[in-house]
Amino acid sequence: MPLIEPARCQVDVAAGRMAGGTGAYRKRLADLAGLYLDETAFAALAALRGDEVVYEVGDFRPSENPGDMIFGLTRMSPGKVGEEYFLTRGHIHARADRPEVYYGQAGHGLMLMESPAGDTRIVEVGPQTICYVPPRWIHRSVNTGTEDFVMMFAYPADSGQDYDIIARSGGMKTRIFDDGAGGWVARDNADYRPRSAVEIAALMAA
Amino acid sequence: MPLIEPARCQVDVAAGRMAGGTGAYRKRLADLAGLYLDETAFAALAALRGDEVVYEVGDFRPSENPGDMIFGLTRMSPGKVGEEYFLTRGHIHARADRPEVYYGQAGHGLMLMESPAGDTRIVEVGPQTICYVPPRWIHRSVNTGTEDFVMMFAYPADSGQDYDIIARSGGMKTRIFDDGAGGWVARDNADYRPRSAVEIAALMAA
């Protein structure tokens, strides 16, 4: 293997950006069609603000070699669709035995996690909270606050992402809503379809 | 593989500590005998402050499974031995093809890196600087500031550490000193013994 050069990236927490990365992408509100329970509220909001960037990710990818690592910064805007908070599409790693570490730097939100068998775990993330997402957990972040939610992240370079796993089960089993009293509440997603025993076994054996 | 539970760790940047980890260790000044050029200055300082904790590391180790990750927080006190800044012992990963990511949270310092063949790279790390240490680079952090130098770190769970590689070559090739004008200066270490071609080849082939 050739020697890889060291790198230095500078994070601007207030802007939610990392300088010195190798790539970046943005998701606009219109890109998130189908994720929210209240489709009427989504259509109304998307008609007004569909082009608005709701989250952006900048990363540094030195290589995809097994054993190497990718890291970066994610910024998510505050907001709701109906009473459901803005969230990321979510994913499981294509190599399901790969974990991810998130480190909150600004704002307040949740890491919503779901096991292959449909167990839910929720970790509240604020400034200086590190959330460890173990191998095999589907994960999505949710901005439950009123400011940008900014996290640094790191994961194995050969992890890959399977973004479709959530759509295949009709969404994650749990949705996160404003409780109307200054906090959040988790409610079951009525559209959720459990994964098959075969799919669960494959994810657990990966 | 059994499912690992998610985890939440909270960092206290001012204290340089991470709550919720699985382990921690501390290095006292007396533990760092042999690292500094000025042995007389070290002996004098150690006589007075040998029991003082000069750096501490707290980490979270979910597993040592290939593909999993370890993360944590390191805090290093400011100080000098003669004109040479406080530093960590330094290491290369026992699996030399494993990288490490450091994320500065407080204070100012350097990541001093050395390739198997003896090339030096220095990355200045301040608050919100991410330093990527690629596979195969020996690395050590140096507190060039006047406050605690605090960094979050993450690396592959199967990396391991070889702390002896630096001693075997008579120290790292480069030492970092106060330049007497408010900054730092890198100078060659006269005791440095280059690694053999065989050892270099083994580290590059790992």
Side-chain angles (χ1 to χ4, degrees), chain A residues 85-163:
Chain A
Y85 293 108
F86 280 4
L87 44 72
T88 58
R89 280 180 300 168
H91 63 273
I92 194 169
H93 289 151
R95 293 191 65 150
D97 63 341
R98 299 315 197 220
E100 188 153 354
V101 173
Y102 289 87
Y103 187 10
Q105 294 292 299
H108 292 84
L110 306 177
M111 189 63 62
L112 176 60
M113 291 168 274
E114 179 178 307
S115 72
D119 292 312
T120 295
R121 297 288 186 275
I122 297 172
V123 168
E124 292 195 282
V125 177
Q128 302 301 333
T129 306
I130 302 177
C131 175
Y132 167 69
V133 179
R136 303 175 218 290
W137 289 83
I138 299 161
H139 50 287
R140 146 183 290 171
S141 51
V142 183
N143 187 345
T144 56
T146 55
E147 300 172 9
D148 279 356
F149 182 35
V150 178
M151 294 186 290
M152 177 265 204
F153 59 82
Y155 59 92
D158 62 352
S159 300
Q161 282 89 11
D162 173 359
Y163 291 108

Side-chain angles (χ1 to χ4, degrees), chain A residues 175-190:
Chain A
R175 291 184 178 278
I176 307 294
F177 299 90
D178 186 339
D179 70 358
W184 56 271
V185 59
R187 295 197 186 114
D188 283 349
N189 167 17

Side-chain angles (χ1 to χ4, degrees), chain B residues 7 15 18 23 25 27 29 33-35 54 97 121 123 144-145 169 178 180 200 205:
Chain B
M18 182 183 82
Y25 67 87
K27 286 289 162 186
L29 185 62
L35 298 191
V54 286
D97 64 340
R121 298 287 185 277
V123 167
T144 56
S169 61
D178 185 340
I200 294 169

Side-chain angles (χ1 to χ4, degrees), chain B residues 69-133:
Chain B
M69 282 169 60
I70 292 167
F71 62 89
L73 197 79
T74 172
R75 180 199 67 78
M76 189 176 359
S77 301
K80 290 182 285 187
V81 173
E83 294 308 308
E84 194 173 3
Y85 292 108
F86 280 4
L87 44 73
T88 58
R89 280 180 300 169
H91 63 273
I92 193 168
H93 289 152
R95 293 191 65 150
D97 64 340
R98 300 313 197 223
E100 188 152 355
V101 173
Y102 289 87
Y103 187 9
Q105 295 292 299
H108 293 83
L110 305 177
M111 190 63 62
L112 175 61
M113 291 168 275
E114 179 178 306
S115 73
D119 293 312
T120 295
R121 298 287 185 277
I122 297 172
V123 167
E124 293 195 281
V125 176
Q128 302 301 333
T129 307
I130 301 177
C131 176
Y132 167 69
V133 179

